[in-house]
DNA sequence: GATGCCATTGTACACGTGTGCAACGCCTGC
DNA sequence: GCAGGCGTTGCACACGTGTACAATGGCATC
């Protein structure tokens, strides 16, 4: 049909060099920052490159540079709006620094393993993990290759693996104080038993604060922190007038569950965590602790960059600050 | 400190070959499907590889193979739960077929351009687009390089660019029929004016069906299809008793807006679109049209695979089927 | 005019892999 | 015993790029 019919060879730096009447090295240098090229040749090269539609092959470049600018993002629980927002922010932060995120969904521990293994084949410049933490042996392998790993909201301390964690101590404390100030007297915290380290820390800080203030508080364990478990837990929450839900997603379930049970929401104080967009919606209007995942993403990328320069440095932990967002429920 | 102290050279196929006492070609063949290697050497190679922690370097491989198994995913609107769920399913579908998704957020048209350009540097095996469609010139460049592009829920017909589109005709028709069957007499459809092709098609099918059945129906334009605009639109919806919201996300806003205005939700029929998880929540319990984004992701990847084999084939359009999910609101 | 410095350029090697080609050895069938 | 076939193997080249090194030329300084 048209000219593209014969799948023409990819245009390489050789083609550009020939057309511009310079050596191939000059072409390479033109597209390499801080390389020594005269303005004239640079001009000629750019002209020829544009005419031919030349693009530097980053894969070939990475072969010699030993850095691909690809960053693995191993993610779980993207059905939760907070988690997917987190992925979004991480991707934006990475792209902003000229990295390319490879998104690998890994909901089970076994697939985390497989995905991380895949990444070793791609010479990634680093890995961000929001799923379960990879096994220590695998982390050591990454460390041996000087590939930084940063865990987000995971507890496991692993050698040479940085972490960024939400300030759960403060979150738990503020949640307790807020409920008490609002007049609650019989408090409870609803939290998944078998789940995230960070949610459990919030629960503990909450309970500790209550103990410290001599207030009545109790833990209501559920399986995992989602809408359905929140809804179900609401039925058993009849004895309490102040509830801390360790994430908003579950808080919505609790609120709907309370309504379904005919309880007056006005009489019961609720504090959530994360401040996902839906928390501001009229149906819930939830008082909650904002976990700024844009800032968190920046912190994670920053840690990544730091470790690229010093792979054997002792592992660091960065805290993401939380803020109370006051709305109707407390 | 320990042995990893000196950042030891990456282990290559040379190292494995030496240790296994075979040629490097034998190593390569061992890790290449359908290559001719005797069971004995394969055994030796695997043993040596395991001992050394060898991994094939996919970037180097892609250089010679001319295919990287990387697939660009250009995405917009990840704040909308449906869109992010879509990304999740796409990522899963790609990983399932042994591709690696590069996630590039591109909310403005200009950044779509930039991201697509980036992808050309990475020799991607294909591109999936859920953001704005890339400009035709850029698409042609991809076609010239025989890189498949698949647009998801975008209208623009571009040469050699496949599309998968939700069955909006059916969706609009069923929405109208459902509202009428439920007893509504004064219908309206709420839809963003400057937005997605696919949402507008739903609106048109809805209005056409109403016209065909001699029912009263009207369009209520808003700016974009999100919660806030839905909430605001509810105030002006006093004259209607049957509403079709072109996506669930906005339907929630409409429902909350109606409640805030003191209207009795029981008296007004509402149908949404997408069936995001929140639609099943007790607070909304929304009757809606399910757009199965797992199936849609599969279709998209299938189109991608098809075009890899036949890059110059005429562009195809695949329709994603929709299903009515009956809940409380209609 | 000779000397030294500096910016620029080209040559040549390296990065880690897949595979065509020819050579080799083993087995089968006559 | 020998021809022919087939499964394996190794050599060598290719993929597209960055950069060390030496060479070149221009300019300022003595």
């Amino acid at each position: 049909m048209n000219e593209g019919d014969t799948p023409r060879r990819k245009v390489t730096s050789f083609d550009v060099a020939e057309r511009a009447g310079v050596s191939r090295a000059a072409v390479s240098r033109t597209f390499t920052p801080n390389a020594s090229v005269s303005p004239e040749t640079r001009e000629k090269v750019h002209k020829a490159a544009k005419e031919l539609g030349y693009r530097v092959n980053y894969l070939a470049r990475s072969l010699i540079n030993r850095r691909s600018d690809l960053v693995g993002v191993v993610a779980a629980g993207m059905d939760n709006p907070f988690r997917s927002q987190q992925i979004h922010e991480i991707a934006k932060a990475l792209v902003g620094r000229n990295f390319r995120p490879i998104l690998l969904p890994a909901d089970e521990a076994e697939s985390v393993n497989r995905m991380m293994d895949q990444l070793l084949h791609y010479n990634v410049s680093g890995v961000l993990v929001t799923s379960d933490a990879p096994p220590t042996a695998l982390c050591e392998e990454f460390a041996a290759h000087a590939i930084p790993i940063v865990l987000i909201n995971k507890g496991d301390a692993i050698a040479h693996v940085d972490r960024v964690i939400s300030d759960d101590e403060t979150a738990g404390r503020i949640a307790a104080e807020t409920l008490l100030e609002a007049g609650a007297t019989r408090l409870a915290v609803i939290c998944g038993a078998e789940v995230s380290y960070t949610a459990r820390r919030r629960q503990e800080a909450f309970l500790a604060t209550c103990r410290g203030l001599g207030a009545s508080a109790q833990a209501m364990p559920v399986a995992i922190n989602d809408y359905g478990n929140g809804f179900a837990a609401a039925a058993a929450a009849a004895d309490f007038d102040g509830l801390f839900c360790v994430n908003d997603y579950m808080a919505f379930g609790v609120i709907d569950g309370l309504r379904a049970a005919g309880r007056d929401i006005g009489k019961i104080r609720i504090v959530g965590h994360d401040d996902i967009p839906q928390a501001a919606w009229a149906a819930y209007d939830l008082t909650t602790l904002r976990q700024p995942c844009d800032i968190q993403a920046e912190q994670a990328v920053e840690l990544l960059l730091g470790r690229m320069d010093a792979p054997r440095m002792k592992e660091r932990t960065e805290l993401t600050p939380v803020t109370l967002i006051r709305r109707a429920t407390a």
Side-chain angles (χ1 to χ4, degrees), chain A:
Chain A
M1 339 191 158
N2 63 23
E3 40 137 11
D5 215 35
T6 58
R8 60 170 185 260
R9 250 181 66 261
K10 281 209 62 139
V11 15
T12 75
S13 49
F14 284 96
D15 307 324
V16 178
E18 190 178 12
R19 177 161 196 130
V22 297
S23 79
R24 197 187 58 76
V27 178
S28 176
R29 286 195 253 261
T30 298
F31 294 105
T32 305
N34 310 326
S36 164
V37 207
S38 75
E40 297 83 32
T41 43
R42 161 164 283 135
E43 177 73 18
K44 284 192 289 186
V45 168
H46 271 135
K47 183 160 171 293
K50 175 155 244 169
E51 289 168 355
L52 294 175
Y54 170 72
R55 255 117 177 154
V56 179
N57 184 333
Y58 284 177
L59 300 183
R61 166 184 282 183
S62 79
L63 198 53
I64 174 96
N65 275 347
R66 314 172 100 85
R67 42 171 298 179
S68 62
D69 288 350
L70 294 171
V71 171
V73 178
V74 182
M78 283 186 68
D79 45 318
N80 179 333
F82 175 73
R83 308 294 291 274
S84 66
Q85 188 182 347
Q86 205 173 35
I87 302 304
H88 188 196
E89 295 298 337
I90 288 173
K92 279 202 298 187
L94 287 173
V95 169
R97 311 245 179 188
N98 241 6
F99 290 109
R100 248 63 62 186
I102 294 189
L103 176 61
L104 297 177
D107 283 298
E108 314 93 31
E110 186 267 340
S111 63
V112 172
N113 231 316
R114 235 180 26 244
M115 295 302 129
M116 296 286 290
D117 194 282
Q118 284 293 325
L119 289 175
L120 278 176
H121 289 268
Y122 274 96
N123 259 30
V124 289
S125 300
V127 186
L128 295 178
V129 179
T130 73
S131 68
D132 285 347
T136 310
L138 206 46
C139 287
E140 273 166 11
E141 200 161 357
F142 276 81
H145 290 286
I147 302 176
I149 301 181
V150 175
L151 305 182
I152 299 179
N153 281 341
K154 296 298 149 194
D156 325 67
I158 305 175
H160 308 302
V161 174
D162 297 320
R163 296 177 297 168
V164 31
I165 302 180
S166 190
D167 186 354
D168 299 310
E169 305 274 348
T170 305
R173 182 174 53 74
I174 293 184
E177 292 171 356
T178 305
L179 288 173
L180 290 171
E181 279 169 25
T185 54
R186 302 179 311 281
L187 307 191
V189 49
I190 307 181
C191 179
E194 62 210 43
V195 290
S196 81
Y197 162 82
T198 181
R200 272 206 312 278
R201 283 213 328 169
R202 275 168 227 159
Q203 161 170 291
E204 281 159 27
F206 177 85
L207 292 173
T209 303
C210 291
R211 270 197 303 275
L213 296 173
S216 147
Q218 192 174 322
M220 290 184 58
V222 296
I224 62 170
N225 302 319
D226 67 356
Y227 182 88
N229 280 286
F231 195 95
D239 298 336
F240 306 104
D241 61 358
L243 296 175
F244 175 36
C245 304
V246 293
N247 74 18
D248 291 350
Y249 197 52
M250 181 171 59
F252 300 154
V254 170
I255 293 176
D256 286 345
L258 290 171
R259 284 190 182 127
R263 303 259 333 247
D264 179 3
I265 297 292
K267 293 263 169 52
I268 185 165
R269 294 90 182 164
I270 302 176
V271 170
H273 191 285
D274 290 348
D275 191 34
I276 63 180
Q278 289 91 328
W281 291 7
Y284 300 110
D285 205 14
L286 180 70
T287 294
T288 188
L289 288 148
R290 166 187 292 252
Q291 180 180 5
C293 55
D294 49 347
I295 295 178
Q296 196 169 51
E298 285 295 337
Q299 290 176 306
V301 175
E302 210 62 56
L303 285 175
L304 212 62
L305 290 172
R307 186 155 296 273
M308 285 178 192
D309 299 334
R312 310 291 305 169
M313 174 175 42
K314 177 148 178 53
E315 59 271 18
R316 297 166 298 171
T317 300
E318 195 95 10
L319 232 50
T320 309
V322 297
T323 334
L324 180 68
I325 307 291
R326 288 189 188 275
R327 297 206 184 88
T329 61

